[in-house]
Amino acid sequence: MVDLAYVIAGSEATGGAGLQVDLKTFQQLGVYGVGTTTCIVSFDPKNDWGHRFFPVPADVIADQIEAATAAHNLDVVKIGMLGTPATIDVVAEGLEKQDWRHVVLDPVLICKGQEAGAALDTDNALRAQVLPHATVVTPNLFEARALSGMDEITSVDQLIEAARRIHDLGPQYVVAKGGVELDGEDAVDVLFDGSEVTLLTAPKVGNERVSGAGCTLAAAITAELAKGASVADAAARAKDFVTAGIK
Ligand code: PXL
């Protein structure tokens, strides 16, 4: 039997992030991927290639979820970029229609094509409606600050504190990513399971943020979970996979 994984996420026109990367990651890790598109992101050459954001209508998202879940026995899902409160409503409803072995939430909070006001509503809706369904949530440093309500995260100890606070919001496991954003030789991510903290550490590959690294990490965790790995093993393998990809 082939292992299946589902992803509900946005299309990103360069193929460097989003749904396309998620499906490619599933395939590379030997998992058959099924995708639902929440939004279409492209870029404006006249505005320094700033994000253009086009949400897929909520009823069209509902139809895709209905078809995907009718056609396949899906029990592991990754949630990527949602982008609007209306999309969050329909995805939360879709998640509630069946039981999931794992819901991996990459809490993509901000897209530069969105207004700040709309983004705040979206953050709040994500926290209230989707985060409680997540078994694993994978915030980057910015998202960890927003979700935990902490003013600053400049050390691994603070990242651990953020992971603890985010755990209190409902998810069973938090993978809080320091990546290249914290000082030091290593890219350190924190896995917190509600009692134990595990550090996922790899030497930094340069000091630039790499587009799509976060999508790839969450997708690789999802693929490994689909194959039956524990969350700790899935997170460790995903870290290796992303580090190799960045290299
Ligand atoms: O990397 C975050 C991300 C996720 N999903 C989509 C995106 C982006 C960033 O541009 O466009 C669809």
Side-chain angles (χ1 to χ4, degrees), residues 3-9 19 22-23 26 31-38 60-80 82 90-91 94-105 218-227:
D3 294 306
L4 287 174
Y6 184 31
V7 52
I8 302 175
L19 185 67
D22 295 328
L23 291 173
F26 290 173
V31 170
Y32 181 88
V34 179
T36 283
T37 311
T38 56
V60 178
I61 297 172
D63 291 349
Q64 293 177 78
I65 295 173
E66 181 181 52
T69 53
H72 305 283
N73 270 327
L74 302 168
D75 69 349
V76 174
V77 57
K78 176 192 156 170
I79 311 291
L82 298 176
V90 76
V91 169
L95 289 176
E96 283 156 18
K97 287 202 174 126
Q98 68 161 81
D99 290 330
W100 299 93
R101 187 159 56 85
H102 277 292
V103 176
V104 179
L105 173 63
I221 291 173
T222 307
E224 293 300 327
L225 293 172
K227 291 192 279 185

Side-chain angles (χ1 to χ4, degrees), residues 23-231:
L23 291 173
K24 287 187 274 189
T25 300
F26 290 173
Q27 185 78 13
Q28 225 172 320
L29 293 171
V31 170
Y32 181 88
V34 179
T36 283
T37 311
T38 56
C39 60
I40 298 171
V41 173
S42 61
F43 303 92
D44 183 357
K46 296 195 193 73
N47 181 23
D48 197 21
W49 297 99
H51 285 55
R52 286 167 162 155
F53 168 71
F54 178 81
V56 171
D59 56 335
V60 178
I61 297 172
D63 291 349
Q64 293 177 78
I65 295 173
E66 181 181 52
T69 53
H72 305 283
N73 270 327
L74 302 168
D75 69 349
V76 174
V77 57
K78 176 192 156 170
I79 311 291
M81 183 166 170
L82 298 176
T84 74
T87 299
I88 289 169
D89 284 345
V90 76
V91 169
E93 262 173 48
L95 289 176
E96 283 156 18
K97 287 202 174 126
Q98 68 161 81
D99 290 330
W100 299 93
R101 187 159 56 85
H102 277 292
V103 176
V104 179
L105 173 63
D106 187 12
V108 179
L109 286 185
I110 207 152
C111 170
K112 290 178 205 120
Q114 288 179 279
E115 291 169 41
L120 187 62
D121 284 353
T122 303
D123 293 3
N124 288 335
L126 190 78
R127 189 191 279 105
Q129 292 171 249
V130 185
L131 193 57
H133 292 291
T135 56
V136 185
V137 63
T138 62
N140 63 23
L141 206 69
F142 168 80
E143 293 152 354
R145 227 170 26 216
L147 292 173
S148 68
M150 287 169 66
D151 290 336
E152 60 158 36
I153 302 175
T154 57
S155 67
V156 172
D157 283 343
Q158 284 176 328
L159 191 60
I160 292 170
E161 175 59 23
R164 289 181 185 279
R165 292 189 193 191
I166 295 166
H167 187 270
D168 287 342
L169 301 173
Q172 293 162 29
Y173 297 85
V174 179
V175 179
K177 300 172 290 185
V180 294
E181 306 271 336
L182 296 177
D183 287 342
E185 302 273 291
D186 291 333
V188 181
D189 306 328
V190 166
L191 169 64
F192 181 59
D193 66 4
S195 59
E196 303 227 338
V197 171
T198 308
L199 298 186
L200 303 166
T201 300
K204 283 182 184 168
V205 184
N207 285 297
E208 297 292 324
R209 300 186 61 195
V210 174
S211 171
C215 297
T216 304
L217 186 88
I221 291 173
T222 307
E224 293 300 327
L225 293 172
K227 291 192 279 185
S230 67
V231 173

